Amino acid sequence: MRDVIIIGSGPAGYTAGIYTARAGLKPLLIASSVEAGGELMKTTEVENYPGFPQGLQGPELMANFQAQAERFGTEILLDDVVEVDLKGDIKIVKTGGGQTFEAKTVILATGAAYRELGLPREKDLSGHGVSWCATCDGFFFREKTIAVVGGGDSAMEEANFLTRFAAKVYLIHRRDTFKASKIMQERAMANPKIEIIYNSEITELKGEAKLEAVTLRSTVDGTESNLDLDGLFIAVGNDPRVWLVENQVELTPERFIKVEGRSSKTTIPGVFACGDVIDPTYRQAITAAGSGCVAALDAEHYLSGH
Ligand code: NAP
């Protein structure tokens, strides 16, 4: 029987590994068979992670996280968790590779997946003009012409934020009213660098080595047009990865795992959650890492009480 099993290998999962390993709990971290390292593996340069003044590549940062977790004895398994039973005192975790583990505590760090538009070149152009994170990549678009797609708070926030760098920001939305809160909409509408394109959806991403333009289709009459762009930020929502546990731990109305106050405690004793799977607001590598630390300390306190 294990003391701790950590599910997920982004900044939250690895930080939970570092802390629980240093506490002598010999954690098993199940890192996924195809997506080990999490969303940062899809990022190019990370310039805002404290401690790296020159910045570093996302995959390099995650390799550092992994090495640090392993240095203290975190056991890393490149497999996918396919089923869990968290209700009892002994938690059961099953993997796609056919292994079954038992643990006294489980830390859920399964993250959130940015929603994609589902267009053919989207993956190829990711990191080459197409981005899901204005905070991470906005800086690369100084004096450029870019667009944000989406109509929620994220799209408004990203569009406003990006006007610090870009010469021009188009805000492309598929309807003529926004889902975003009024105050966020008003801020975007009042920003002279933002031009709103209503009733339009993107049907094609164009460019070979990097994004050069998009095709827009009117959702009113179907007419198509071309829009030249240096960058496109996709802000059409994201989905916390909760399918594994959604019938066991309680979720928030937005479908994030519900935790108690500032802790990582879920509605099941001995089960903790951290990182983007609990965070509808900040979603940064550094906040996820901090949250992983919280989960490790909570698990440690729980075990010392048992
Ligand atoms: P969201 O509220 O779910 O909005 C997603 C937006 O993307 C909607 O306007 C939706 O259009 C559009 N969309 C979805 N799929 C699309 C597609 N395939 N093509 C084009 N457009 C598509 O997501 P979010 O903006 O990321 O916000 C998530 C949560 O975080 C919300 O609760 C939000 O309030 C919160 N948040 C708060 C702040 C803040 O307060 N500072 C900042 C960011 C986020 P439709 O409107 O047509 O459905």
Side-chain angles (χ1 to χ4, degrees):
M1 162 108 63
R2 303 262 173 177
D3 279 326
V4 186
I5 290 178
I6 299 160
I7 305 174
S9 58
Y14 279 135
T15 303
I18 293 165
Y19 273 76
T20 51
R22 285 192 81 244
L25 298 173
K26 297 188 173 60
L28 171 67
L29 186 153
I30 305 179
S32 156
S33 60
V34 285
E35 291 193 49
E39 295 298 303
L40 275 173
M41 300 297 284
K42 300 175 192 161
T43 314
T44 50
E45 196 163 5
V46 180
E47 292 183 320
N48 55 6
Y49 199 87
F52 297 93
Q54 305 307 323
L56 76 175
Q57 297 292 306
E60 189 186 351
L61 178 60
M62 295 323 297
N64 287 349
F65 268 98
Q66 179 177 345
Q68 197 170 355
E70 287 181 313
R71 178 182 156 204
F72 299 111
T74 303
E75 187 185 333
I76 293 168
L77 180 66
L78 295 179
D79 202 348
D80 303 300
V81 176
V82 291
E83 195 184 330
V84 291
D85 184 354
L86 303 173
K87 291 269 161 54
D89 277 350
I90 300 171
K91 322 294 180 197
I92 315 283
V93 176
K94 294 185 180 173
T95 71
Q99 298 190 75
T100 299
F101 299 98
E102 291 182 350
K104 293 176 196 161
T105 65
V106 169
I107 294 177
L108 303 168
T110 45
Y114 290 117
R115 249 177 241 151
E116 298 180 354
L117 293 173
L119 296 173
R121 306 272 345 268
E122 202 167 348
K123 281 194 175 62
D124 299 341
L125 292 171
S126 168
H128 304 279
V130 174
S131 170
W132 279 262
C133 180
T135 327
C136 320
D137 299 332
F139 187 76
F140 301 119
F141 294 90
R142 266 183 198 284
E143 297 308 314
K144 304 281 188 192
T145 299
I146 60 178
V148 175
V149 56
D153 282 333
S154 295
M156 304 298 135
E157 192 169 80
E158 304 238 316
N160 270 310
F161 176 79
L162 287 163
T163 60
R164 291 187 201 178
F165 311 102
K168 168 112 194 169
V169 178
Y170 292 101
L171 180 55
I172 301 166
H173 183 40
R174 62 189 178 184
R175 296 188 292 125
D176 63 355
T177 55
F178 287 119
K179 186 177 174 186
S181 57
K182 197 158 178 283
I183 185 162
M184 303 280 281
Q185 292 187 35
E186 284 171 356
R187 214 172 280 160
M189 286 170 184
N191 191 318
K193 278 189 177 178
I194 297 178
E195 181 178 334
I196 300 173
I197 303 179
Y198 292 104
N199 296 320
S200 294
E201 56 191 9
I202 298 171
T203 54
E204 193 186 353
L205 304 173
K206 297 189 220 168
E208 281 309 314
K210 65 178 205 45
L211 181 79
E212 285 164 15
V214 298
T215 303
L216 296 177
R217 183 169 56 205
S218 162
T219 54
V220 178
D221 58 20
T223 51
E224 291 199 335
S225 56
N226 182 77
L227 181 65
D228 289 338
L229 291 175
D230 300 303
L232 174 69
F233 286 79
I234 300 174
V236 297
N238 62 61
D239 301 306
R241 293 196 190 88
V242 294
W243 65 267
L244 196 60
V245 297
E246 63 189 338
N247 298 323
Q248 299 183 50
V249 299
E250 202 174 316
L251 304 183
T252 67
E254 296 165 310
R255 291 185 54 78
F256 291 82
I257 295 177
K258 187 175 173 183
V259 292
E260 192 185 310
R262 294 176 62 227
S263 82
S264 66
K265 294 176 193 167
T266 70
T267 45
I268 301 180
V271 179
F272 306 93
C274 54
D276 283 3
V277 77
I278 66 166
D279 182 3
T281 316
Y282 302 108
R283 301 183 209 131
Q284 301 297 300
I286 185 65
T287 52
S291 165
C293 165
V294 168
L297 297 178
D298 285 343
E300 202 182 324
H301 290 158
Y302 173 88
L303 288 165
S304 63
H306 277 67

